[in-house]
């Protein structure tokens, strides 16, 4: 265990933020409110000064991968409201939120776990919990933060309030030589019933950990397929599906029926990936479900695949502009938005979920890494890494509504994720 | 038009709230935070003083129907945090939230529309917009509030910021005598694409109003069935379904295909309601969808009905304890929770969504009016009107975790609804 409490430094965009508060308060004719807000702003001599009138339902974070920082945004006013720095290596980072939406837990590539207070725009706590980590999740009740690690492998589970270590799950397996080893862990998600589910890349296993008891009750599913490299859970938290790097098809666990074991579905998935170099393995957590169809990125092909979620049978292939990375459903399910791997990563395509036709092709700029829809779907935010900007689109007219500066932006995460399972 | 700006009075539970902030801050060792919070609390000489450190993701409101007030709660700590009074007749009231979760819009039975600032625990604005209203909705972009009226009928649409009237839609129709009349309006919901959809009780019509233009473009669907009395929209915002008081079956509009018109589905729905007196028409907005099945309350029968959402065919009947009122899916879809009309309204039954068996029968107390799940489903809050309390249950163990006092509580609304369509 390698835990250091690093308080870190937080930098505020004070002027812009306070001006915005004053304008906002003034427009609504709250004399007292304006006075208090301005006074709070002029008193901002430390990064821990509180913000008056804060509601958090329309806030979000953008990972700035090169700088180890997150930009804080408001998705009603399409504005940057602050920035927090000192988060370490964010080259493959992700974020989950506390159930009150006050804290963003940032999982860094270097094993850093940082709890950012987005209301007060500062680092609340930070621990180095491993040498190399790949993602995390927050428990159903919001009390536990789990992190999956490459080095030394395994899963560590922390108290969401204090970041104190609660449980260490080394994820040991026995290899072909009969040796006990610790596995890299991937595809970590939260599931209903206070559970975490994850996959052992080296161990070829899926584990389900039930945290209704302490230590957690762990159920191991062995020989699920070679080298699971990522996974998703369906929006209702029922189906856990892992992609396999070492063979074709996908490994599926029905969490309502663990007694049925792990099944192989879509046996052709990944086949033919040798035909083209695979520039980037697609993100499985981006799978879209619209009606009874699920839309998934093909591996190494210029295609989006569809399958039926009742029969688990492939139903079609949609030719697209490049190798898809994220395949995401607009919240109303009417459209599927797709971005692509290098060298086609300047483009987004929008598919009609019913006709399966390409409806629109957009060119946001150089290196489109991620998309995040506002919760009710009227806008989508797009990070354009090599242009150092984030663009906000109207999803009805496809117009650009705003462009915001960000340093090498990657993942975008809005606070409504606090209320969803499996993110 | 009958609009009065009534500032109203707001009452804070100051002592309890400030003590809670101090305890909270102290536990987390924020010296500065605690100092600032306490100072804010001791300065609470007016109800408009701001709250520092407010995150709003785990807040909610409970309607106290007899007192014309709402109790404000925190669903992480299972605590009451405040109370706002002066909201008029709340005997059939409902609430929607602004997209930042700061404001609760309360639709009163007396035509009052009140914008409650839940961060500062006060009435922000209040208008009397009709003589008798039955519900409301907030537009996809959060900028418009629509209210459906009985007296004088029609829909009024307000600016969400100022509560200024934006559009009046009188909902006129021509009756059998050839006279133009204004219809009572029911089943008002928001739909994706900045639309509102509603039904004309007297006019036997469904209207879709597209607010991407001003005045809105209105599409009328006539002769949809006699006396639509309530409606629901599917969670993705695609299917609008109205219940018919004057005949059997349901009227369904596929908003992806308005050119197909309104179809009659489940032709036997409501049949046989004469066999038992109907104590209360069920709430259609409570319909549960789990997998491909939808679960709906039978009218006047001790049954929950199931139907297939692809074929729209009835698939079964589940005998239950009384006439169901709300039939709600736990967020993970694994269980269906049902409450009942008088005289069986002391009971909740829990159905297994897969086996369709009754799993558990609970007796929360006298007059169980409403249930609200925490967004990820680990708890459910239950209002027990005649016992003047709200009970919080663990949905895994069915244990009561907390009991909170409330005056004749009815609807319970958590802030994550800000991010959902059709509520």
């Amino acid at each position: 265990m390698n835990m250091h409490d690093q308080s870190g430094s937080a930098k505020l965009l004070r002027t812009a933020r306070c001006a915005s508060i004053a304008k906002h308060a003034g427009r609504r004719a709250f004399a007292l409110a304006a006075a208090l807000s301005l006074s709070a702003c002029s008193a901002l001599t430390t990064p821990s000064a509180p913000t008056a009138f804060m509601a958090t339902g329309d806030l979000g974070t953008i990972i700035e991968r090169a700088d180890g920082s997150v930009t804080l945004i408001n998705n009603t006013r399409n504005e940057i409201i602050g920035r927090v720095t000192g988060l370490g290596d964010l080259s493959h980072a992700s974020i989950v939120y506390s159930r009150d939406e006050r804290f963003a837990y940032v999982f860094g590539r270097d094993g850093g776990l940082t709890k950012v207070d987005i209301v007060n725009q500062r680092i609340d706590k930070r621990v180095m919990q491993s040498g190399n980590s790949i993602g995390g999740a927050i428990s159903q009740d919001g009390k536990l933060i789990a992190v999956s690690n490459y080095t030394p492998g395994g899963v560590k589970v922390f108290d969401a309030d204090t970041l104190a270590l609660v449980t260490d799950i080394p994820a040991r397996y026995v290899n072909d030589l009969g040796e006990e080893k610790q596995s890299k862990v991937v595809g970590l998600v939260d599931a209903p019933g206070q559970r975490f589910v994850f996959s052992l890349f080296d161990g070829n296993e899926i584990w389900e950990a039930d945290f209704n008891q302490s230590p957690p009750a762990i159920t191991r599913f062995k020989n699920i397929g070679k080298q699971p490299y990522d996974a998703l859970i369906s929006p209702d938290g029922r189906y856990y599906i892992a992609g396999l790097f070492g063979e074709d098809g996908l490994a599926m666990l029905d969490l309502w029926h663990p007694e049925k074991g792990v099944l192989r579905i879509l046996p052709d998935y990944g086949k033919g990936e040798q035909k083209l170099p695979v520039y980037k393995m697609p993100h499985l957590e981006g799978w879209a479900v619209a009606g009874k169809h699920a839309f998934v990125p093909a591996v190494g092909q210029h295609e989006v695949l569809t399958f039926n979620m009742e029969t688990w049978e492939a139903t079609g292939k949609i030719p697209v502009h490049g190798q898809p990375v994220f395949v995401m459903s607009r919240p109303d399910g009417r459209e599927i938005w797709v971005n692509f791997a290098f060298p086609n990563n300047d483009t987004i395509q929008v598919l009609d979920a019913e006709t399966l036709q390409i409806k629109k092709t957009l060119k946001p700029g150089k290196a489109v890494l991620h998309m995040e829809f506002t919760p009710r779907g009227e806008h989508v935010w797009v990070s354009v890494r090599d242009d150092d900007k984030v663009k906000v689109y109207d999803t009805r007219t496809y117009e650009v509504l705003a462009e915001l500066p960000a340093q090498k932006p990657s993942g975008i995460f809005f606070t409504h994720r606090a209320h969803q399972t499996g993110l």
Side-chain angles (χ1 to χ4, degrees), chain A:
Chain A
M1 196 171 16
N2 175 23
M3 294 175 65
H4 304 291
D5 197 344
Q6 303 186 348
S7 60
S9 68
K11 190 166 69 179
L12 292 178
L13 300 179
R14 290 191 192 95
T15 313
R17 183 170 143 242
C18 293
S20 161
I21 290 172
K23 180 182 152 207
H24 198 60
R27 195 173 63 230
R28 295 188 179 178
F30 290 148
L32 178 60
L36 283 165
S37 296
L38 286 169
S39 132
C41 284
S42 53
L44 274 183
T45 52
T46 75
S48 53
T51 303
F53 297 107
M54 179 65 85
T56 49
D58 56 355
L59 304 185
T61 48
I62 300 170
I63 290 171
E64 296 181 307
R65 48 188 288 149
D67 284 14
S69 60
V70 295
T71 280
L72 309 180
I73 63 88
N74 177 301
N75 65 32
T76 298
R77 301 200 303 273
N78 297 339
E79 283 177 4
I80 291 171
I81 61 168
R83 192 159 184 251
V84 177
T85 61
L87 308 183
D89 178 0
L90 300 186
S91 60
H92 192 284
S94 62
I95 284 178
V96 298
Y97 288 99
S98 62
R99 53 177 291 151
D100 64 355
E101 303 169 348
R102 177 171 166 185
F103 297 106
Y105 298 91
V106 184
F107 305 103
R109 187 54 186 263
D110 56 3
L113 166 61
T114 313
K115 182 183 179 190
V116 174
D117 180 338
I118 61 172
V119 172
N120 296 299
Q121 307 195 353
R122 57 185 286 279
I123 292 177
D124 181 69
K125 291 192 174 58
R126 175 168 161 82
V127 295
M128 291 301 294
Q129 58 83 40
S130 80
N132 186 332
S133 75
I134 192 64
I138 184 165
S139 63
Q140 184 182 34
D141 69 359
K143 292 180 181 168
L144 300 173
I145 304 291
V147 192
S148 59
N149 290 314
Y150 275 8
T151 311
V155 170
K156 283 186 178 160
V157 180
F158 299 89
D159 180 296
D161 190 10
T162 64
L163 295 194
L165 186 68
V166 173
T167 305
D168 190 355
I169 304 174
R172 293 203 178 88
Y173 71 101
V174 177
N175 71 10
D176 292 343
L177 305 173
E179 301 160 335
E180 195 179 73
K181 295 280 187 181
Q182 193 163 350
S183 179
K184 289 187 186 68
V185 170
V186 299
L188 170 67
V189 299
D190 59 283
Q194 194 64 2
R195 291 175 294 175
F196 291 113
V197 187
F198 49 89
S199 297
L200 279 59
F201 178 82
D202 307 298
N204 305 329
E205 298 186 14
I206 292 174
W207 290 19
E208 183 202 286
D210 177 350
F211 278 81
N212 285 301
Q213 47 201 290
S214 179
I218 290 177
T219 308
R220 293 173 67 158
F221 300 88
K222 299 187 180 183
N223 302 314
I224 58 102
K226 287 183 192 156
Q227 296 175 310
Y229 70 94
D230 197 3
L232 73 95
I233 191 164
S234 56
D236 61 0
R238 175 169 180 177
Y239 299 107
Y240 179 86
I241 303 172
L244 301 172
F245 192 77
E247 57 187 293
D248 295 328
L250 297 161
M252 190 275 282
L253 174 62
D254 179 352
L255 293 169
W256 290 16
H257 293 289
E259 75 283 359
K260 291 185 181 169
V262 173
L263 306 180
R264 187 67 55 89
I265 61 168
L266 296 178
D268 292 338
Y269 188 77
K271 248 186 193 152
E273 70 201 47
Q274 293 76 9
K275 291 180 193 165
L276 281 175
V278 178
Y279 287 104
K280 177 165 174 48
M281 292 302 281
H283 272 274
L284 295 190
E285 63 266 43
W287 286 22
V289 176
K292 63 184 169 184
H293 286 284
F295 295 77
V296 302
V299 179
Q301 305 295 308
H302 291 197
E303 288 171 348
V304 169
L305 311 178
T306 63
F307 67 91
N308 182 312
M309 283 200 63
E310 285 166 25
T311 62
W312 302 105
E313 280 169 5
T315 53
K317 299 177 179 187
I318 305 168
V320 289
H321 178 73
Q323 295 182 9
V325 177
F326 282 103
V327 173
M328 305 179 77
S329 171
R330 199 174 69 180
D332 66 347
R334 190 71 183 87
E335 293 181 350
I336 306 295
W337 287 56
V338 186
N339 74 334
F340 303 98
F342 177 86
N344 298 306
N345 57 353
D346 62 341
T347 300
I348 285 175
Q349 286 190 315
V350 182
L351 312 181
D352 182 304
E354 199 171 39
T355 66
L356 309 184
Q357 301 298 306
I358 294 168
K359 223 171 138 169
K360 191 81 184 175
T361 297
L362 303 170
K363 297 282 181 185
K366 286 186 199 158
V368 173
L369 291 200
H370 196 222
M371 302 171 281
E372 177 85 336
F373 290 95
T374 50
R376 293 166 73 195
E378 72 278 19
H379 299 163
V380 64
W381 288 49
V382 175
S383 56
V384 191
R385 186 191 60 198
D386 295 351
D387 289 344
D388 290 319
K389 64 177 60 163
V390 169
K391 291 189 175 185
V392 182
Y393 285 85
D394 183 312
T395 59
R396 188 178 62 88
T397 62
Y398 309 108
E399 282 175 88
V400 176
L401 301 174
E403 289 193 17
L404 305 172
Q407 295 301 312
K408 305 291 172 231
S410 58
I412 306 173
F413 303 89
F414 294 158
T415 51
H416 72 282
R417 289 173 172 250
H419 314 302
Q420 297 179 336
T421 294
L423 294 180

